[in-house]
Amino acid sequence: MNLDNLLTLDTLQLAKAMLGWRLRLDSEEGSYEGIIVETEAYLQGDPACHAYRTKTKRNAAMFGKPGTIYVYQIYGMHYCFNISGNEEGIGEAVLIRALEPTLGIELMKMRRNTASLKNLCSGPAKLVQAFGIHMDMNFWNVRTDALSLIPPQNLIVDNDIITTTRIGITQGADFPYRFYIKGNSFISKK
DNA sequence: TGCAGGATGTGA
DNA sequence: CACATCCTGCAA
């Protein structure tokens, strides 16, 4: 599957299909890459979705074209990184929850202030910090900007994907919208 | 090994 | 006032 095909999937399928793809950032200081190993989907009609009610200044990027990057601040101090799904005008996105670092590891260790490989990108706010992602990247697009998606080296099949409920929410807590690669040790929860 | 507590912008 | 989180410190 190529990037064009990936971004035509509905948001739930997109969240699953992104497993195994690599997230890459090219910045002044160097390049970062990690394999996407855990995602969550946030959909229309889903009370946990930031776009559940109205379009606001904060959630506007969720309504962008597929591949639009949505960065938001949470708990006043951390940031999370999403990729918008579905067509323009519909507020849906996939939250990237964990990566298996493959490139730029020394830079990540400095940014995260830890030497532990497993602790670099094993959470949505952690991977944001490891890559140095910030609010200026809100409304970027993975098609056109320095934050991009690279197709999988090893194809992830359905049998390799575990589906569970999402982490850290109470509204919509029963929806099975969290996906991760079976047996991968870089996910956010053991 | 587990959990309580704190930091604090945004929108209901 | 609840929240798509993480880290520290203290108890068991």
Side-chain angles (χ1 to χ4, degrees):
Chain A
M1 179 159 24
N2 62 30
L3 184 61
D4 285 341
N5 293 333
L6 182 78
L7 294 176
T8 60
L9 297 174
D10 69 72
T11 306
L12 214 46
Q13 295 303 315
L14 175 63
K16 288 175 72 173
M18 276 200 298
L19 296 175
W21 284 65
R22 278 175 297 166
L23 182 70
R24 180 184 177 98
L25 172 66
D26 295 293
S27 72
E28 301 271 323
E29 57 187 348
S31 295
Y32 305 81
E33 259 183 40
I35 301 167
I36 299 174
V37 298
E38 180 182 350
T39 61
E40 285 179 1
Y42 289 85
L43 308 181
Q44 288 295 106
D46 165 11
C49 181
H50 285 175
Y52 181 57
R53 295 175 191 279
T54 53
K55 185 173 178 178
T56 63
K57 189 175 180 186
R58 179 176 65 153
N59 68 24
M62 294 186 85
F63 293 80
K65 287 196 280 274
T68 300
I69 288 163
Y70 169 44
V71 184
Y72 70 91
Q73 189 180 25
I74 186 163
Y75 299 113
M77 62 183 314
H78 294 298
Y79 295 87
C80 293
F81 167 76
N82 301 247
I83 296 176
S84 175
N86 215 323
E87 53 193 87
E88 188 165 16
I90 297 183
E92 297 189 344
V94 175
L95 171 70
I96 309 300
R97 285 197 58 90
L99 305 172
E100 178 176 338
T102 55
L103 182 68
I105 289 168
E106 290 312 309
L107 288 170
M108 293 187 196
K109 286 179 175 174
M110 284 173 55
R111 287 190 170 282
R112 291 276 301 128
N113 194 30
T114 177
S116 162
L117 190 61
K118 294 277 174 63
N119 197 26
L120 291 179
C121 297
S122 54
K126 292 181 184 178
L127 67 90
V128 161
Q129 188 184 20
F131 274 57
I133 291 169
H134 48 82
M135 283 302 294
D136 289 353
M137 300 176 187
N138 199 29
F139 292 108
W140 277 21
N141 193 298
V142 295
R143 291 173 172 283
T144 51
D145 290 297
L147 197 45
S148 53
L149 292 175
I150 301 172
Q153 304 252 310
N154 309 309
L155 197 59
I156 306 296
V157 298
D158 271 1
N159 202 31
D160 298 326
I161 301 176
I162 305 288
T163 302
T164 68
T165 52
R166 294 170 294 185
I167 291 181
I169 58 171
T170 54
Q171 304 284 313
D174 294 335
F175 294 110
Y177 292 168
R178 172 172 174 252
F179 309 99
Y180 63 89
I181 298 177
K182 186 194 293 182
N184 190 283
S185 57
F186 291 88
I187 64 172
S188 66
K189 210 173 70 170
K190 68 167 192 179

